């Protein structure tokens, strides 16, 4: 794909957010080949995972190409329907927002809705949910699922290695995260490493646990230490805090939102059978729960882990032909 167009958006939802994070946010927009501003195209909203840059231009590894280039080629050769690719910036001081309206972090679900409206104003898009898909990996996959459950903005949801089954994806990480917090001199010491480093895997895992707590907090006054599911000094578990986390688990959210998911044109789940963070067990649980509630969906468990799985995106996004196919050049009618 060619260089993206970048919009500078002044977010009303993020103005005055509890963390003091910027309310002016970039929106990265990749245009399909042949875009002329007249023919209308559907849009894929791509939600980056925790700690990732809000961009599809960079390569995950020194090998291969960027996700934008990979998907651009797939659109050109017809494997994936031509569409705009849009990447919102929903990062926070803690590294991620989970794309939720959080009392402690800010209104990032609201901001995502703002991004959709902004893109529709500036580009020739297919208006309405029938022309929109939301996709993402890890925390981005979680955000895509929650957007599909709680909004009517999208007709397709594609979630890659999403946070789900919180007992499987969070609790096993907790002891090592607490060790990292303790070695840093406490939560404040860990937060200080955001500027000084090192930003190694143990740091990022511990920071992600802190970030999750803040995203799932229910009051603006919640501190990063109090947001953890156990006391970071003594290890005593906080059942009430953990129940608050669980209220945001897609597996537990499903009964209240099964009808909305069932109405989607496409719901796709994908996960590696050796996910580094145990996401495969949580996604398996979500897959089973969707079956129990009669929600149509596709499920793929691929060989691999949490990283280096960019090749599965193209295969999954090809399924959007089911939603957007049957029109000239793979676009929807205006």
């Amino acid at each position: 794909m060619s260089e993206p167009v970048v919009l500078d958006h002044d977010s009303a939802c993020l103005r005055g957010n509890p963390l003091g994070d910027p309310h002016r946010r970039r929106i990265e927009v990749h245009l399909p080949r042949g875009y002329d501003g007249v023919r209308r195209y559907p849009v894929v909203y791509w939600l980056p995972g925790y700690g990732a840059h809000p961009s599809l231009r960079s390569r995950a590894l020194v090998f291969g190409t960027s996700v934008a280039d990979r998907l651009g080629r797939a659109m050109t050769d017809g494997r994936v329907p031509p569409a705009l690719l849009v990447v919102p910036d929903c990062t926070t001081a803690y590294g991620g927002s989970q794309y939720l309206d959080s009392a402690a972090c800010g209104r990032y679900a609201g901001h995502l809705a703002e991004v959709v409206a902004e893109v529709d104003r500036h580009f020739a898009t297919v208006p309405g949910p029938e022309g929109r898909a939301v996709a993402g990996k890890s925390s981005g996959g979680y955000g895509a699922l929650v957007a599909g459950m709680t909004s009517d903005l999208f007709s397709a949801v594609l979630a890659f290695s999403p946070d789900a089954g919180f007992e499987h994806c969070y609790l096993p990480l907790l002891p090592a995260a607490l060790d990292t917090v303790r070695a840093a001199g406490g939560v404040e010491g860990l937060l200080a490493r955001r500027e000084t480093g090192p930003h190694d895997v143990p740091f990022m895992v511990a920071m992600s646990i802190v970030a999750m707590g803040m995203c799932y907090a229910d009051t603006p006054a919640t501190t990063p230490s109090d947001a953890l599911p156990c006391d970071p000094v003594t290890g005593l578990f906080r059942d009430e805090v953990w129940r608050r986390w669980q209220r945001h688990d897609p597996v537990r959210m499903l009964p209240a939102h099964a009808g909305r998911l069932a109405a989607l044109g496409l719901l796709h789940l994908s996960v590696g059978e050796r996910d580094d963070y145990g996401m495969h067990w949580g996604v398996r649980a979500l897959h089973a729960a969707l079956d129990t509630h009669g929600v149509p969906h596709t499920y793929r468990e691929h060989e691999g882990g949490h990283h280096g799985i960019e090749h599965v995106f193209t295969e999954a996004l090809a399924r959007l032909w089911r939603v957007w196919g049957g029109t000239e050049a793979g676009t929807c009618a205006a």
Side-chain angles (χ1 to χ4, degrees):
M1 280 185 150
S2 58
E3 286 300 309
V5 177
V6 178
L7 302 179
D8 186 24
H9 173 59
D10 190 336
S11 171
C13 285
L14 299 185
R15 187 181 293 275
N17 65 82
L19 300 182
D21 285 327
H23 65 272
R24 294 195 67 84
R25 297 295 176 112
R26 71 192 302 276
I27 306 171
E28 182 178 281
V29 182
H30 298 264
L31 303 175
R33 181 175 294 184
Y35 177 86
D36 58 9
V38 178
R39 175 180 291 178
R40 293 185 179 274
Y41 285 84
V43 186
V44 176
Y45 289 86
W46 185 268
L47 310 184
Y50 173 78
H53 291 293
S55 174
L56 287 179
R57 289 303 303 168
S58 60
R59 293 182 293 179
L61 300 170
V62 69
F63 305 107
T65 60
S66 70
V67 172
D69 288 338
R70 186 188 295 268
L71 294 180
R73 285 201 305 268
M75 290 179 188
T76 299
D77 65 25
R79 286 173 290 155
V80 172
L84 283 75
L85 293 174
V86 175
V87 188
D89 178 3
C90 293
T91 54
T92 71
Y94 294 100
S97 65
Q98 294 296 88
Y99 304 92
L100 298 173
D101 283 344
S102 165
C105 290
R107 296 177 55 205
Y108 286 90
H111 175 61
L112 179 58
E114 287 181 325
V115 169
V116 170
E118 191 80 348
V119 170
D120 281 348
R121 278 194 293 270
H122 284 83
F123 299 96
T125 64
V126 176
E130 65 272 13
R132 304 186 195 116
V134 61
K137 173 192 167 188
S138 196
S139 285
Y142 171 86
L145 283 171
V146 172
M149 287 182 175
T150 60
S151 82
D152 58 2
L153 291 173
F154 308 101
S155 63
V157 171
L158 301 96
F160 303 94
S161 308
D163 300 15
F166 285 2
E167 299 93 335
H168 300 303
C169 69
Y170 292 149
L171 286 186
L173 301 178
L174 191 55
L178 293 174
D179 286 341
T180 302
V181 168
R182 186 182 183 90
V187 173
E188 291 304 318
L190 182 79
L191 297 178
R193 281 180 55 184
R194 289 176 294 181
E195 299 296 329
T196 62
H199 300 150
D200 51 15
V201 171
F203 167 79
M204 291 302 295
V205 170
M207 273 300 305
S208 73
I209 294 296
V210 171
M212 298 308 112
M214 293 299 287
C215 292
Y216 304 144
D218 57 4
T219 64
T222 303
T223 68
S225 180
D226 290 341
L228 293 173
C230 69
D231 186 295
V233 176
T234 66
L236 283 172
F237 208 75
R238 299 162 170 164
D239 292 335
E240 181 179 351
V241 174
W242 179 239
R243 285 194 293 270
R244 187 169 67 227
W245 283 47
Q246 288 179 312
R247 286 197 291 270
H248 296 279
D249 183 347
V251 177
R252 286 175 168 78
M253 292 174 67
L254 178 58
H257 302 287
R260 193 184 293 273
L261 289 181
L264 293 171
L266 173 66
L267 173 59
H268 176 73
L269 300 179
S270 172
V271 71
E273 62 184 15
R274 300 186 306 275
D275 190 276
D276 305 67
Y277 308 109
M279 300 291 185
H280 49 300
W281 281 108
V283 179
R284 286 169 182 165
L286 180 58
H287 169 47
L290 289 166
D291 279 344
T292 297
H293 288 275
V295 177
H297 65 288
T298 59
Y299 175 72
R300 184 188 172 199
E301 197 166 304
H302 57 81
E303 294 183 1
H306 197 75
H307 306 288
I309 62 170
E310 288 73 19
H311 60 284
V312 306
F313 301 161
T314 302
E315 174 192 309
L317 288 169
R319 298 175 186 269
L320 288 171
W321 280 115
R322 301 181 186 180
V323 185
W324 296 338
T327 59
E328 183 182 357
T331 62
C332 298

